[in-house]
């Protein structure tokens, strides 16, 4: 890191912004992977592998946007300590970018977050604070961020505004990658919602560029989002999702319900079954929220088949299964958590074998 980066000045800000821009240009686009479906269906399913980004998840894009937002607003200087609330993935990416700029970073995470994510945050030089109550994570981060010399990155409020939905985002990238395919404009894009930033960005981009593509958002058990979307109410509360990264106990500011064409509730057994199936079918071990995405995408495909439609569907690989070796990839942990993916997995496999139109989510 250049020494000048530690000086609080316009020159430091220019250097910091240049460093982020250079890093963005040097980072290869995450690949689009094809999930095998029976060829007679005439439907192509793609997964955009965001785990290939340098900090290992789709949150790489968000962390960069949040840093740029704080820098151009003049709220981050060369002496700022950064802090955010996270279920882990965002904090890993924020720690990665904080290190790039030479700034200290503190992550406030719920007590149950996987040890793998904690290790990653620390390996990038971040400090981890645990909040016993998952609903208190944001409040603790805000309290720390209010101290002099600190800046609260506030992903849950800012994700959908700090991200540029017009260009340079995940949606633009995937449309560019699909341009040479037989169905270049997907019928559906399927994503999950943590902050809601990814879904808002994808939904806005599709409308802004006048696509016919529709946006489906999958929601795990015990999340407030599906009910909030169904009823149009923002005061919904839920117990709290077990699928790390997606589903929230309350409706976050970045969740923009009106950008979503459809929400699909997915139970945890189907999320895990689809995660396991992805690993068995493609060799890609992804995290559980990717399983939720895949289960939702297969449900959408089942409906396309029923309607006699062909076309493409795109979803995201959000992060790698390495982060869940001791949890979602551990049989004893799954048993203790009372998540049994057996029946769900059999249903999905028989659907994919073309033998039955099952409820896959
Ligand atoms: C690990 C992880 N974090 C977060 C999210 C949600 O992204 P966002 O915060 O943009 O809603 C996902 C979405 O699928 C995810 O898998």
């Amino acid at each position: 890191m250049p020494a000048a980066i530690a000086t609080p000045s316009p020159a430091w800000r220019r250097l910091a912004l240049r460093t982020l821009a250079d890093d963005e240009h040097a980072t290869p686009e995450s690949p689009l992977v094809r999930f095998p479906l029976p060829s007679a269906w005439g439907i192509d399913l793609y997964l955009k592998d965001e785990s290939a980004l340098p900090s290992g998840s789709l949150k790489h894009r968000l962390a960069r946007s949040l840093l740029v937002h704080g820098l151009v607003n003049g709220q981050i200087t060369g002496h700022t300590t950064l802090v955010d609330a996270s279920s882990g993935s965002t904090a890993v990416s924020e720690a990665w970018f904080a290190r790039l700029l030479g700034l200290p970073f503190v992550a406030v995470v719920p007590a149950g977050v996987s040890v793998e994510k904690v290790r990653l945050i620390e390996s990038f030089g971040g400090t981890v604070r645990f909040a016993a109550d998952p609903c208190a994570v944001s409040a603790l981060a805000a309290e720390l961020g209010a101290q002099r010399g600190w800046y609260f990155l506030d992903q849950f409020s800012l994700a959908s505004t700090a991200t540029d939905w017009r260009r340079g985002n995940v949606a633009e990238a995937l449309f560019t990658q699909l341009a040479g395919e037989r169905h270049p404009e997907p019928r559906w894009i399927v994503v999950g919602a943590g902050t809601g930033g990814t879904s808002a960005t994808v939904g806005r981009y599709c409308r802004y560029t006048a696509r016919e593509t529709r946006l489906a958002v999958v929601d795990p058990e015990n999340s407030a989002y599906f009910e909030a979307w169904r009823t149009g109410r923002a005061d919904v509360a839920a117990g709290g999702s077990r699928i790390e990264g997606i589903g929230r106990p309350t409706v976050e500011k970045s969740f923009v319900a009106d950008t979503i064409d459809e929400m699909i509730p997915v139970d945890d057994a189907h999320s895990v079954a689809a995660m396991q199936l992805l690993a068995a079918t493609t060799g890609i071990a992804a995290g559980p929220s990717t399983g939720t995405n895949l289960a939702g995408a297969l449900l959408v495909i089942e409906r396309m088949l029923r309607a006699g439609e062909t076309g493409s569907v795109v979803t995201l690989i959000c992060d790698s299964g390495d982060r869940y070796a001791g949890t979602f990839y551990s049989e004893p942990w799954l048993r203790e958590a009372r998540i049994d993916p057996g029946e769900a997995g059999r249903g999905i496999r028989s659907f994919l074998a073309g033998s039955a139109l099952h409820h896959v989510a």
Side-chain angles (χ1 to χ4, degrees), residues 58-59 89 155 192-198 244-246 289 293 318-319 324:
L58 80 172
K59 294 299 189 173
S89 296
Q155 60 155 337
T195 62
T198 303
E244 278 179 41
I246 58 167
S289 62
N293 282 350
C318 305
D319 63 1
Y324 308 92

Side-chain angles (χ1 to χ4, degrees), residues 202-330:
V202 172
R204 287 166 169 164
Y205 181 86
C206 289
R207 289 178 185 173
Y208 180 64
T209 55
R211 312 279 172 169
E212 285 181 24
T213 305
R214 282 168 291 168
L215 170 65
V217 172
V218 287
D219 204 34
E221 289 177 30
N222 299 314
S223 167
Y225 285 149
F226 174 70
E227 195 56 14
W229 177 81
R230 194 182 67 80
T231 59
R233 285 174 31 204
D235 60 347
V236 182
S241 156
R242 293 189 293 182
I243 306 297
E244 278 179 41
I246 58 167
R248 298 292 298 165
T250 54
V251 179
E252 303 294 345
K253 279 200 194 109
S254 276
F255 179 76
V256 189
D258 291 338
T259 59
I260 300 168
D261 294 300
E262 177 163 0
M263 284 202 70
I264 302 173
V266 177
D267 63 47
D268 294 350
H270 275 86
S271 293
V272 174
M275 176 192 86
Q276 293 174 340
L277 180 94
L278 179 69
T281 314
T282 64
I284 299 169
S289 62
T290 302
T292 317
N293 282 350
L294 179 57
L298 292 174
L299 183 80
V300 160
I301 288 168
E302 181 189 39
R303 284 193 313 201
M304 286 172 65
L305 282 171
R306 283 185 196 280
E309 291 174 3
T310 56
S312 59
V313 174
V314 183
T315 190
L316 304 178
I317 294 174
C318 305
D319 63 1
S320 157
D322 297 350
R323 296 183 176 186
Y324 308 92
T327 55
F328 287 88
Y329 279 91
S330 153

Side-chain angles (χ1 to χ4, degrees), residues 269-274 276-277 340-352 359-360:
H270 275 86
S271 293
V272 174
Q276 293 174 340
L277 180 94
D340 178 0
E343 198 184 325
R346 284 188 289 278
I348 297 175
R349 275 193 298 275
S350 77
F351 165 65
L352 288 171
H359 282 288
V360 291

Side-chain angles (χ1 to χ4, degrees), residues 28-55:
E29 192 42 68
S30 65
L32 212 49
V33 178
R34 200 189 271 262
F35 184 90
L37 295 176
S39 59
W41 289 3
I43 297 173
D44 298 324
L45 171 58
Y46 301 91
L47 299 115
K48 187 161 168 58
D49 187 2
E50 296 284 272
S51 74
L53 294 172
S55 61

